[in-house]
Amino acid sequence: MISLLAMTSIILTVVVSVEATFETKPGVVPLGMGGAYVSQAEGSNAIFWNPAGLGYLKKAEISMVYGKEYVGLDSDNLSNWYAGLVYPLGDYGAVGIGELYFNSEVYKENTGIISFGRKFGEISTGINFKVLSVMYSETGYTKTDPIFMANGMSKTRISIDAGIIYKATDELSIGANVEDMNQPNMSLGNESEGIVPMKINAGSSYKIGRLTPAVGITYRNKSINEKKEINIQAGVEFWSASEDIGLRGGYNTYEFTAGASFRFLSGGQIDYA
């Protein structure tokens, strides 16, 4: 076990909220920074925030997330979990696999991901191939509803993300990525409301000693009602001199955020936001 920990970073994450997986991304570190993370995505977080970050991966990493909302609610069981594994391939880049699962008594979503990233000088590029699935439970309503009778109880589609990170200097990093660029339709009846919108993210970060401020912006193509949505993010991360305690704060169009990390000598890390 000791030799494994020396090679692999294991991260345990605790989250306090749950949303449907197609509309949220896991990762307490980026969430603690308000989502201003596209330019510094790293480790297993890069799978969801910018696959180009895999190009800078130096060691394997495993991360696990579990979240449960409305604990004690008898009528439903709202929860989600995420597991990710990333592995460096030396000069050939790095690969990653991940799965994000949202569960309730009547509805389930699953996202399976295969990621690849590679660095070319100061620029790293990456791509995600995602398998999106929705599943409905059989109830008295779904047994007689025409949509379910005609289209079944589940649907699966492929989606693609692509990203880039430019390390202009040792301190300055600039990144961008496009999520769900093919906008798959996850509605059983192919209604426009079921289209997963394309999202374009861009941002930058700058290291000042142990302090790293970051900013970002997200454009979301809301095909559901033809509205466009822009989300502004800003965040900051600070590590202690011993690099065993990290603190974060952030803001975006919707909320203020905060988080912390604790690193162990074994190589493990606990994140909270």
Side-chain angles (χ1 to χ4, degrees), residues 15-21 24 66-70 77-81 101-103:
V15 297
V16 296
S17 65
V18 176
E19 296 180 11
T21 58
T24 191
Y66 177 77
K68 184 174 177 62
E69 195 164 350
Y70 308 122
N77 182 27
L78 298 176
S79 62
N80 68 12
W81 63 269
Y101 182 74
F102 173 84
N103 176 75

Side-chain angles (χ1 to χ4, degrees), residues 82-180:
Y82 162 72
L85 167 66
V86 290
Y87 192 86
L89 302 175
D91 294 337
Y92 298 100
V95 295
I97 57 173
E99 184 174 17
L100 180 58
Y101 182 74
F102 173 84
N103 176 75
S104 76
E105 294 294 333
V106 297
Y107 176 73
K108 298 174 177 62
E109 288 184 2
N110 187 77
T111 303
I113 302 180
I114 298 177
S115 298
F116 175 78
R118 185 177 180 182
K119 184 175 66 171
F120 301 90
E122 290 80 23
I123 295 177
S124 181
T125 60
I127 189 168
N128 283 341
F129 295 98
K130 303 191 296 188
V131 179
L132 309 182
S133 300
V134 296
M135 296 149 281
Y136 295 86
S137 300
E138 187 173 284
T139 66
Y141 173 79
T142 58
K143 285 182 179 179
T144 58
D145 185 271
I147 292 179
F148 292 100
M149 295 176 66
N151 300 284
M153 305 294 291
S154 64
K155 187 172 185 177
T156 299
R157 288 292 184 268
I158 301 297
S159 191
I160 299 174
D161 307 337
I164 185 170
I165 294 178
Y166 171 52
K167 298 282 188 180
T169 67
D170 290 339
E171 296 81 17
L172 177 62
S173 180
I174 302 170
N177 78 324
V178 182
E179 302 175 48
D180 302 305

Side-chain angles (χ1 to χ4, degrees), residues 30-37 204 212-217 231-237 248-253 255-257:
L31 293 177
M33 297 183 66
Y37 198 69
S204 64
T212 305
V215 295
I217 184 171
N231 179 14
I232 305 296
Q233 310 108 24
V236 63
E237 181 179 56
R248 300 176 194 89
Y251 168 80
N252 58 50
T253 302
E255 60 187 351
F256 288 94
T257 64

Side-chain angles (χ1 to χ4, degrees), residues 224-267:
I224 294 175
N225 52 16
E226 297 183 355
K227 288 184 178 180
K228 311 298 184 290
E229 181 179 290
I230 295 179
N231 179 14
I232 305 296
Q233 310 108 24
V236 63
E237 181 179 56
F238 175 81
W239 283 94
S240 63
S242 58
E243 295 189 350
D244 56 353
I245 298 177
L247 301 175
R248 300 176 194 89
Y251 168 80
N252 58 50
T253 302
Y254 312 107
E255 60 187 351
F256 288 94
T257 64
S261 292
F262 305 92
R263 286 176 178 166
F264 304 102
L265 295 177
S266 62

